[in-house]
Amino acid sequence: YDIKVTADDIIITSGGSEAVLFAFLSCLNPGDEIIVPEPAYANYMAFAISAGAKIKTIATTIDEGFSLPKVEKFEELINERTRAIMICNPNNPTGQLTNRELLLEILNKCVEVNAKLLIDECFMDFVDEAKAFSMRALLEQYPNLIILKAFTKTFAIPGVRLGYCLCADQELHQRLHQCGQDWSVSILAQEAGKAALLEKEYLEKSFELIQRERKYLIRHLKCLGAKIYGSEANYIFFKMKQ
C-alpha cells in the first residue's frame, strides 16, 4: 500500500478486540447510535453495550452474497443520534470484501453527518493483493476515520494479545488513549510484535500457503455441493445443500 503512517497515528492495544472496544468508547456516549451491517463479529454488540450505545443493523442477504448494500441503505438509518458506522473488511464471518468505491461513499457520508467510520481490517492481510483495499492511505485526508488491526491472525499469536488503532485526528487519538488502562500491553506482547514485524519471509510464505489451500478447499467444497460466499480471508463461509 502507498501509506504514510506515523507513530502519532498509532494506539497499541491488547489485541484487536480491545482496539474495537477503544474505538467504540472513544466515539460513542450513552444514547448514541452506531450502524453495523450483519452478519457481524458478535462482540460488536457487547462493545456497544459497554459504551451505553445502540447498534442499528443493516442486514446483508444471502441472495446478494452478503455483499454490503449501497450507501442509500445507510442513509435510511442515519439520524441525529448516529455517531459512527462500523464495517469489517473483509467481513467476519462471511469473508466478503467491500469495494473501495462503496467504502469511499460511506466515508464521505460520515463526513457529511459528522460521524466516525470504523473499519476493522484484521483480516485484510489474507486478501489477494489485486483485490485488497486498505483505507490506511486515507487517514490524513479523513480525520473521522479509525482503522483497527491485530497481529493475532496474521502471526498466529492469539494468546499474546496485540493489536492497534490507526487514526490521524489527534483529539480523537487522545480519547482512544484515555479509554484504556495504563500498561495494558505486556512486555511479552511488545517484544513479540517487534519480532513479528521483521518476519517478511514468513508473511510471504503464509500468504502463498493460504491462497493455495483456500482454492483447494473451495474447489472440493463445491464438488460436495456447497455454495461459497465471500471467503476472501483465511476462512471459508459456505452453505451445504439440504
Side-chain angles (χ1 to χ4, degrees):
Y1 310 114
D2 180 16
I3 302 166
K4 182 181 179 182
V5 175
T6 70
D8 291 336
D9 300 329
I10 304 171
I11 292 286
I12 305 299
T13 62
S14 180
S17 289
E18 188 174 79
V20 179
L21 174 61
F22 284 7
F24 275 49
L25 293 175
S26 67
C27 297
L28 302 171
N29 292 310
D32 289 344
E33 295 182 357
I34 180 170
I35 298 171
V36 180
E38 286 190 324
Y41 178 43
N43 275 2
Y44 293 157
M45 182 65 74
F47 297 150
I49 292 172
S50 297
K54 177 184 177 181
I55 283 184
K56 298 186 77 172
T57 60
I58 292 180
T60 59
T61 67
I62 192 170
D63 292 337
E64 296 181 353
F66 298 102
S67 295
L68 213 61
K70 294 180 179 180
V71 70
E72 287 78 11
K73 285 291 185 180
F74 290 87
E75 292 174 340
E76 292 174 6
L77 294 181
I78 292 173
N79 58 46
E80 68 278 1
R81 295 183 298 277
T82 304
R83 293 293 176 269
I85 293 175
M86 175 83 225
I87 293 175
C88 187
N89 194 35
N91 184 53
N92 174 12
T94 65
Q96 186 65 264
L97 271 172
T98 302
N99 65 61
R100 67 181 67 202
E101 291 79 13
L102 179 53
L103 284 174
L104 284 170
E105 286 181 14
I106 296 171
L107 180 53
N108 283 315
K109 176 54 62 174
C110 285
V111 172
E112 288 180 22
V113 299
N114 194 29
K116 303 294 186 296
L117 177 60
L118 317 179
I119 302 185
D120 184 341
E121 293 189 359
C122 283
F123 294 97
M124 187 64 75
D125 294 334
F126 299 105
V127 178
D128 186 287
E129 189 173 354
K131 300 178 182 178
F133 174 54
S134 171
M135 298 284 275
R136 284 178 285 180
L138 299 176
L139 284 167
E140 297 296 331
Q141 183 180 349
Y142 290 91
N144 65 319
L145 175 63
I146 302 177
I147 295 176
L148 314 164
K149 289 280 291 182
F151 284 69
T152 305
K153 285 80 178 177
T154 309
F155 295 99
I157 53 171
V160 175
R161 308 308 304 151
L162 187 61
Y164 54 98
C165 303
L166 299 175
C167 178
D169 181 340
Q170 290 308 300
E171 182 180 343
L172 181 55
H173 193 278
Q174 185 64 25
R175 292 206 301 273
L176 283 163
H177 179 73
Q178 292 170 345
C179 287
Q181 61 178 337
D182 292 333
W183 313 299
S184 66
V185 182
S186 69
I187 292 295
L188 172 62
Q190 293 175 45
E191 293 300 317
K194 289 192 290 185
L197 291 173
L198 300 175
E199 292 293 335
K200 295 183 178 180
E201 183 179 354
Y202 167 81
L203 283 179
E204 292 172 358
K205 289 183 177 180
S206 296
F207 180 79
E208 291 173 359
L209 175 64
I210 289 169
Q211 293 282 310
R212 184 170 63 250
E213 293 300 310
R214 182 170 57 206
K215 291 177 181 177
Y216 172 85
L217 284 171
I218 287 175
R219 184 170 67 253
H220 286 273
L221 281 168
K222 286 182 176 179
C223 288
L224 294 172
K227 174 69 175 179
I228 309 297
Y229 300 93
S231 303
E232 297 286 354
N234 60 330
Y235 47 87
I236 298 172
F237 191 74
F238 67 93
K239 180 181 179 180
M240 295 299 298
K241 292 181 178 180
Q242 297 291 332

